[in-house]
Structures are given as structure tokens and as C-alpha cells.
Amino acid sequence: MAPKAIVVEIAYAETEKQVLIRLSVPIGATVLEAITASTVLSQFPHLAGAGALSNSVGIFGKISTLETVLKAGDRVEIYRDLMIDPKEGRRLKAAVTKRQKAQAFDEKKRKQKMARKAKALLYKKEKNS
């Protein structure tokens, strides 16, 4: 006798909260039906808005449509918009790193200068004695 239901997972993550829900859906269920059957929409009400899910779902990292029929063991992932463009993020990180290196270099030079001054003062004292 063939099974009448399959087990799938629904995954969604935000900065503050992440969920991975395992649920049983009938054979032939679509991505939208699985999302609706899960508790994701009640936990994240902003996803229930019109068109919020239209182009932001996938199965195991591959973009899919809401009408895609699920297979046993599929993980439906709900994507959200990026907070920052990855290129811009790398650029900002590089700028911060460059600034930190420059500050560390300046601090090292300042310490070396103070050490030379202290050595010169010590030398003057010894010479005058």
C-alpha cells in the first residue's frame, strides 16, 4: 500500500528568529499548500501579505514556484530580501579593515616615537651626570 502523505520541511529565517518546521502533507501537495499548512504564516504575519511569497521560495536552495509539487523529504525555503548588497558589504568590510590597520600602524609609530624620546632623555641625563 502506497503512503498517502509525505514529510517535508519549511524553513524561514530572520535576524531575530529562525524556524524549521517538519510537517506531513498529502501526496501531490504544492509549495503554497505546504506553507499554508505550516505555522510559518502565523509566526511571521508579514509573509501572508499579497505577493509576499511570489518569487521568494525555493527547494533546497533552488528557486521554485508556489505551484511546484513537492516530493518526500523536500525542504521548502522562504527567502527574504537582502539587507545589503553582497558587493557593498565586502566593500564596507574592506574599508573598516583598512581603517583598523591604519590605526594600528599609527599607534605602533607613536609608541616607537615615544620610546626614542625616552631613550634620548635618558641619554641626556647620563651625559649631564
Side-chain angles (χ1 to χ4, degrees), residues 82-96:
L82 295 175
M83 296 176 77
I84 187 168
D85 179 49
K87 275 187 180 179
E88 185 63 25
R90 287 190 296 272
R91 207 172 294 131
L92 291 172
K93 186 177 178 183
V96 168

Side-chain angles (χ1 to χ4, degrees), residues 74-107:
D74 279 350
R75 182 182 66 227
V76 176
E77 299 163 344
I78 302 170
Y79 306 123
R80 57 187 170 86
D81 291 336
L82 295 175
M83 296 176 77
I84 187 168
D85 179 49
K87 275 187 180 179
E88 185 63 25
R90 287 190 296 272
R91 207 172 294 131
L92 291 172
K93 186 177 178 183
V96 168
T97 302
K98 184 177 180 181
R99 192 174 329 120
Q100 288 172 342
K101 284 182 179 180
Q103 288 172 345
F105 180 78
D106 291 344
E107 182 65 20

Side-chain angles (χ1 to χ4, degrees), residues 30-73:
T30 64
V31 170
L32 182 59
E33 292 168 347
I35 291 172
T36 306
S38 73
T39 60
V40 171
L41 297 179
S42 62
Q43 292 182 47
F44 302 96
H46 62 279
L47 292 176
L53 296 172
S54 59
N55 291 323
S56 58
V57 295
I59 298 174
F60 287 118
K62 294 191 178 190
I63 300 293
S64 66
T65 64
L66 294 173
E67 293 79 32
T68 303
V69 176
L70 295 170
K71 296 180 286 221

